[in-house]
Amino acid sequence: MDQAEPVIERGATTRLLGTWTLSRHRQLKRLLTQTPVPEGEVQLRHIGALDTAGAALLARWLGLERLEAIINAETGLQPERRALLETLLRAMGREPAPAAKKPAALLQALALLGEQSEYLARHFWQLSGFVGLVLQTLAVVLPRPSRWRLTALVNQIHQTGLNAVPIVALLTFLVGAVVAFLGATVLGEFGAEIYTVNLVAYSFLREFGVILASIMLAGRTASAFTAQIGSMNANEELDALRTLGLSPIELLVVPRVLALLVTLPLLTFVAMISGLVGGAVVSVVSLDIALSQYLSIVADVPLKHYLVGMVKAPVFAFVIAVIGCMEGFKVSGSAESVGRHTTSSVVQSIFMVILLDAVAALFFMELGW
C-alpha cells in the first residue's frame, strides 16, 4: 500500500495514518464518508502530513468539540500540528459578530445633524484659510507690476465678462418684463399702474441686477474655474508648477479673482439696464405709459439705490472666484471628483451670494438706505 495514502486504523485505539493534505482531498472525503466516527480514543500523532484542507475535513468528521478534546488529551502531538489544529478550531468555531443595534430615530437625526455641522464648520474653516492665502498673495503681487500677468487677466476678463454679456442681458430683460407684468397685475387693482415703473427700478437697481448677474456667473464661471483647475490638479500640472518654484495661487487664482472683480460690476450694470429696458417695453406696450414718462420716473430714483446694488458686486465677485478656485484645488485624480466639486462650487457660490445679499439688505435697512 502506498504509505502516503490516508488510512484510518480502527481498533481499541483509532489511529490516523498517511497524508492528510489538499492533494488527497478527494480520497479523504471518500474515506471519511465511509468510516463512522469512532467512539474510543483517537490518535493524530501518526499522521504523516497535515495541512489546513485535511484538518478542516477532520474537524467536520469528528466535530469541533471532539477534536478539541482529542488535541488536549494527546500529549505526543507535534507542537506545529497542535498549533495548526487549534488555529483551525478557533477559526471554525468563531461565531458571527452580533449585529449592531440600530440607534433610535432621534439619535440618528442628532448624529446626522452633528456630522453636517462638523462638515460645515470644517468647510468654512478651509474657505477662511483659502481667502487669507489669496489676500496675502494679492498683497504681495499688486504692489509689484512686474509680477502682474496681464495676458492671463485679459483672457479671463474676455471669457468671464464679454462672453457672458448676451446671456446676462437676455435673462435680466426677461425678468424685468416679468416683474413689470406682475406689478401691473397687482397694482392695477388699485389703479396704480404707474408705480410699476418704481417697482422695476427699485428692484433692479438694489437687488435683481446684482443677484441675477452673480447667479449667472456662479453657474457659468465658478464651475469653469473648478473644472479648469481641477483638471490641472488631476493631471499633476499643479505639482509641476510647485516643482518649478511657481505659485499656483499667483498663476491661476489671482488672475481669475481680479477678472471677476472687474467683470461682475460691469455685468451688474448691464443687468440693471437690461431689466429697466424689459420693464420699459412692458410699460409702453401694455400699460400705455409713455417712454418719456417712464424715463423721467426712473431718473427720479435716488442715486443711493444704484450704489447699494453696485457696492455688492465686488464682494460677490470675490466670493464666487475664491469658491470656484478652492473647489478646483480639492479635485482628486478622477472624472467623478471633477464633476462632484464642480457641482459643489456652483451650489456654494449661489448659497453664499444669497446669504451675503440677505445680510447686506439687513445692514442697509438699518442704515436707512
Side-chain angles (χ1 to χ4, degrees):
M1 180 185 297
D2 184 1
Q3 296 297 321
E5 184 176 351
V7 176
I8 300 177
E9 289 187 352
R10 300 181 64 85
T13 299
T14 301
R15 299 195 306 166
L16 306 185
L17 307 171
T19 301
W20 291 61
T21 61
L22 182 62
S23 61
R24 301 283 180 168
H25 190 270
R26 181 176 299 178
Q27 292 176 267
L28 286 170
K29 287 188 67 175
R30 184 169 58 249
L31 175 64
L32 295 177
T33 303
Q34 297 172 353
T35 306
V37 178
E39 298 293 337
E41 180 184 358
V42 178
Q43 292 182 354
L44 306 178
R45 73 188 74 166
H46 304 291
I47 295 177
L50 180 69
D51 64 3
T52 306
L57 290 174
L58 185 61
R60 294 190 183 97
W61 182 55
L62 294 172
L64 298 181
E65 295 181 358
R66 178 77 184 280
L67 180 58
E68 184 177 7
I70 293 172
I71 294 173
N72 294 333
E74 188 165 359
T75 57
L77 190 62
Q78 299 90 330
E80 64 275 8
R81 194 156 294 172
R82 182 186 301 275
L84 171 64
L85 292 170
E86 290 176 348
T87 302
L88 181 70
L89 285 174
R90 287 195 298 270
M92 296 183 68
R94 182 181 300 139
E95 297 181 357
K101 199 171 188 180
K102 191 173 182 180
L106 178 60
L107 293 179
Q108 284 183 316
L110 291 176
L112 180 61
L113 178 62
E115 292 175 0
Q116 294 300 319
S117 300
E118 180 187 5
Y119 170 77
L120 288 176
R122 185 169 62 251
H123 175 74
F124 278 109
W125 180 260
Q126 294 173 349
L127 180 60
S128 301
F130 193 78
V131 168
L133 183 60
V134 172
L135 292 176
Q136 179 188 14
T137 307
L138 285 172
V140 172
V141 171
L142 291 181
R144 297 172 173 82
S146 60
R147 299 179 64 173
W148 294 358
R149 302 189 176 274
L150 295 179
T151 303
L153 177 61
V154 172
N155 179 55
Q156 292 299 328
I157 290 175
H158 179 269
Q159 292 183 2
T160 62
L162 186 61
N163 291 346
V165 168
I167 185 64
V168 170
L170 177 61
L171 175 69
T172 50
F173 174 84
L174 296 176
V175 173
V178 170
V179 171
F181 274 121
L182 179 63
T185 302
V186 175
L187 297 174
E189 298 180 2
F190 306 96
E193 293 94 340
I194 191 64
Y195 290 104
T196 301
V197 181
N198 300 79
L199 175 63
V200 174
Y202 279 80
S203 61
F204 270 88
L205 292 179
R206 290 184 67 96
E207 300 293 340
F208 284 170
V210 64
I211 282 289
L212 293 175
S214 299
I215 290 176
M216 287 300 302
L217 280 191
R220 183 182 182 276
T221 304
S223 59
F225 288 175
T226 302
Q228 292 165 1
I229 297 178
S231 298
M232 296 179 68
N233 196 18
N235 294 331
E236 300 181 356
E237 296 178 41
L238 300 185
D239 294 333
L241 290 177
R242 296 186 183 99
T243 303
L244 294 173
L246 302 174
S247 170
I249 302 295
E250 181 178 341
L251 288 176
L252 303 175
V253 178
V254 170
R256 287 169 167 81
V257 171
L258 294 179
L260 278 195
L261 288 175
V262 172
T263 57
L264 186 53
L266 298 176
L267 289 175
T268 298
F269 179 77
V270 171
M272 292 176 179
I273 298 301
S274 298
L276 293 175
V277 171
V281 170
V282 173
S283 299
V284 171
V285 174
S286 299
L287 304 181
D288 295 328
I289 298 175
L291 181 60
S292 58
Q293 187 179 11
Y294 182 93
L295 295 177
S296 64
I297 296 174
V298 171
D300 289 337
V301 175
L303 180 62
K304 64 180 181 180
H305 300 296
Y306 168 77
L307 297 177
V308 166
M310 292 300 296
V311 77
K312 293 185 286 187
V315 179
F316 294 169
F318 183 82
V319 170
I320 293 170
V322 167
I323 291 177
C325 294
M326 184 187 73
E327 289 298 315
F329 281 96
K330 291 182 179 180
V331 171
S332 59
S334 67
E336 189 270 340
S337 178
V338 174
R340 185 174 66 253
H341 286 286
T342 299
T343 303
S344 177
S345 70
V346 175
V347 174
Q348 291 179 45
S349 300
I350 294 176
F351 173 79
M352 289 301 297
V353 164
I354 295 176
L355 177 63
L356 291 175
D357 185 70
V359 173
L362 294 176
F363 175 76
F364 290 120
M365 183 179 67
E366 291 297 326
L367 289 181
W369 280 32

